Amino acid sequence: MSDNAYLKVKDYRLKNLDLLLDSGDVVSLLDMYAEVNIYQDLFGSPLSCHITISDAVDLYGKLPIKNTEKLKIVFSSPGDQEITLNLSLYSREKINLSTTGKTSQYVLKFVSPEVVFNATTKFSKAYTGKISDMVGAIWSELFVGSKPIMIEPTEGESTLVLPVNNPLSHIRDLSKKAKREANPDEVNYFFFQDFKNFNFASLGAMFELPVKTNFIYGDPSAMGPLSTLSSKSVVKDVYLTGKENILHEIKKGIYNGFVSAYDATTKSFGGLRYEYKEAFDKIHHCNQHPLTTDPVLETLGPLAHYSTGFFGGGFSPDLTMKRKSQLGSFLNKRIKFVVAGNSSINVGDKIHIDFTQQTMTKTDDDGMNKYRSMDYIVSSVKHTINKAFGYTMTIEACSDSYAEPLPESSKFEVENQQGRLAQ
């Protein structure tokens, strides 16, 4: 597809889709692919790519494919960043044979080369210093040929003896112990990969990012000045996937908790109490207002309870409690939607989504639903390039807060057909 061939909102340019053989030969898959799916996930595995192949020349049987091949993919959406990925083939699946006995369709699965190396590598080592420095040391010592990892500094120093495990598993475990240097009350680090790098970063830093892209969902006639937004920003197939289950939230300690600990050095017990209301203003949030109101919080006692043996040394006993609250809050406002493809969108980006007000619901503002319209962090994204239907994204995004405060006393008002208010 030429640079001037962008005609539709889902258009794209797939410049390279090359299978690199161990012999040095290059096989272009541009004429063979039916669909390309690229996955990013804040919570899960590093970047991966699945390609559905429609094979008219029996490439699979003639090579044969051995799972040692590499992939170079270069693509972009109109006006957005060009992405170049170099991945390793690790699986060939769902193989269908034609009536002639040739392989006609199959799926090739690729991952970052670091994942393949990680699967074959285990180590144990002692480190002293900041957790962020430990992560940097693991990366520079083991992933010698990889891009440098992007690391946000952590607070405090400690001595750790890492047990025998894979390097990526060690880094994930360290993310659960990390406090942010810019704000030690924020214990919400993630280890993830985007289109540029591997990253070790906190939610607090993501919350401070500028909004990358604006999206809108709802009736276009109600969008007002926002109707000037490109149709590329209009989302569809929206699912509110956050559970917003108060029983689950109480059990997990989102709103409060108590940690008891035994100090082996002094042979004594101690405890710490955590209160969501007191902690809210001490850390950054995606939006400005809490997930619930003061009257609700006042009815909740410290029902979530954790035990630890590190009261007098090691990691502070409230670290686990704070992390559970901060990550649980982040998953409360969770949505999933489909939108036209944008190669500049990455997991970890901050986006804004406006929802138009539902029909017949009273509004005295700009026509937007103020309890859904807000900033979110992209927690996962599937980039889909389909030869027949173009480039789309399936995005899951989360927020730990509201853009508008919840009312302490709720009222429901609608407008009837004559425009009069009814309760």
Side-chain angles (χ1 to χ4, degrees):
M1 186 178 294
S2 69
D3 292 335
N4 297 321
Y6 296 126
L7 300 175
K8 300 177 182 178
V9 69
K10 297 178 183 177
D11 275 346
Y12 61 94
R13 184 186 185 197
L14 186 53
K15 186 176 178 181
N16 293 87
L17 192 65
D18 295 334
L19 192 66
L20 311 179
L21 309 183
D22 50 13
S23 65
D25 291 343
V26 177
V27 178
S28 175
L29 303 178
L30 288 175
D31 293 331
M32 302 182 195
Y33 84 95
E35 183 172 280
V36 178
N37 286 294
I38 303 172
Y39 300 87
Q40 297 178 349
D41 194 342
L42 197 64
F43 292 93
S45 302
L47 189 145
S48 63
C49 175
H50 300 175
I51 303 178
T52 301
I53 299 292
S54 293
D55 187 352
V57 297
D58 196 23
L59 175 70
Y60 183 94
K62 290 178 179 177
L63 280 176
I65 294 176
K66 299 180 296 186
N67 286 354
T68 58
E69 293 77 11
K70 309 294 183 183
L71 176 74
K72 179 179 181 180
I73 176 172
V74 182
F75 73 99
S76 62
S77 49
D80 298 315
Q81 183 179 5
E82 183 175 88
I83 304 300
T84 299
L85 301 175
N86 294 286
L87 306 172
S88 297
L89 180 64
Y90 75 94
S91 180
R92 49 200 193 276
E93 302 176 6
K94 299 179 182 179
I95 303 163
N96 294 324
L97 297 178
S98 67
T99 55
T100 63
K102 295 182 178 180
T103 46
S104 58
Q105 190 175 73
Y106 46 91
V107 175
L108 301 179
K109 294 187 175 182
F110 302 84
V111 290
S112 298
E114 291 83 0
V115 177
V116 178
F117 174 80
N118 179 72
T120 62
T121 305
K122 288 189 176 183
F123 79 104
S124 173
K125 190 172 181 179
Y127 291 96
T128 297
K130 294 183 176 181
I131 285 181
S132 53
D133 293 337
M134 297 180 193
V135 171
I138 292 171
W139 194 266
S140 61
E141 291 168 7
L142 296 176
F143 300 99
V144 179
S146 300
K147 290 182 180 179
I149 184 175
M150 300 300 294
I151 300 175
E152 181 186 357
T154 59
E155 185 268 352
E157 295 191 356
S158 56
T159 297
L160 291 177
V161 178
L162 303 184
V164 177
N165 208 343
N166 304 106
L168 298 186
S169 296
H170 281 311
I171 296 177
R172 290 191 192 95
D173 290 341
L174 289 172
S175 71
K176 300 173 184 177
K177 300 177 174 66
K179 294 185 176 183
R180 191 182 180 201
E181 183 178 71
N183 185 348
D185 283 312
E186 294 176 352
V187 287
N188 46 32
Y189 273 73
F190 284 93
F191 173 52
F192 63 98
Q193 185 183 14
D194 58 25
F195 282 152
K196 297 178 181 178
N197 301 92
F198 279 84
N199 301 269
F200 187 83
S202 69
L203 272 179
M206 299 177 210
F207 291 154
E208 293 184 283
L209 292 172
V211 171
K212 184 75 169 286
T213 304
N214 291 279
F215 296 107
I216 192 161
Y217 174 78
D219 179 8
S221 65
M223 294 179 186
L226 290 175
S227 62
T228 58
L229 285 173
S230 166
S231 56
K232 189 176 179 179
S233 300
V234 177
V235 306
K236 62 178 183 177
D237 299 336
V238 175
Y239 301 93
L240 305 180
T241 56
K243 291 183 178 179
E244 302 183 40
N245 183 327
I246 194 167
L247 294 178
H248 176 80
E249 292 163 355
I250 292 171
K251 182 178 179 180
K252 292 297 183 181
I254 290 178
Y255 298 122
N256 49 52
F258 183 83
V259 58
S260 60
Y262 175 69
D263 185 352
T265 61
T266 63
K267 298 182 179 180
S268 61
F269 283 94
L272 290 172
R273 182 168 176 164
Y274 173 82
E275 295 286 352
Y276 175 86
K277 181 179 178 180
E278 296 175 2
F280 188 83
D281 291 334
K282 295 180 181 179
I283 63 176
H284 293 88
H285 299 278
C286 203
N287 299 283
Q288 298 179 0
H289 300 284
L291 293 174
T292 191
T293 61
D294 286 351
V296 173
L297 291 173
E298 290 168 1
T299 65
L300 305 177
L303 301 179
H305 178 261
Y306 306 100
S307 298
T308 178
F310 294 97
F311 192 69
F315 298 102
S316 57
D318 62 340
L319 188 150
T320 297
M321 188 166 55
K322 288 181 178 180
R323 182 175 175 86
K324 283 182 177 292
S325 176
Q326 291 171 24
L327 296 194
S329 299
F330 181 59
L331 294 172
N332 181 278
K333 314 301 296 179
R334 193 173 189 178
I335 64 172
K336 189 175 183 179
F337 61 91
V338 178
V339 69
N342 182 336
S343 56
S344 296
I345 292 293
N346 275 285
V347 67
D349 285 343
K350 180 192 278 189
I351 60 175
H352 183 87
I353 308 175
D354 276 309
F355 291 79
T356 62
Q357 194 64 273
Q358 294 177 333
T359 304
M360 304 295 288
T361 305
K362 178 182 178 293
T363 177
D364 54 4
D365 48 26
D366 57 2
M368 297 297 127
N369 184 314
K370 61 184 180 180
Y371 298 120
R372 292 179 185 164
S373 301
M374 56 180 141
D375 294 341
Y376 295 84
I377 299 297
V378 176
S379 55
S380 72
V381 54
K382 179 176 74 171
H383 299 261
T384 300
I385 298 175
N386 186 285
K387 186 172 285 188
F389 302 110
Y391 179 16
T392 59
M393 296 185 300
T394 302
I395 292 177
E396 187 172 75
C398 302
S399 180
D400 71 332
S401 48
Y402 283 97
E404 293 286 336
L406 291 172
E408 293 193 358
S409 178
S410 300
K411 295 182 179 180
F412 180 67
E413 296 180 335
V414 298
E415 293 186 357
N416 59 28
Q417 292 181 350
Q418 286 74 39
R420 294 191 294 271
L421 291 180
Q423 294 187 6

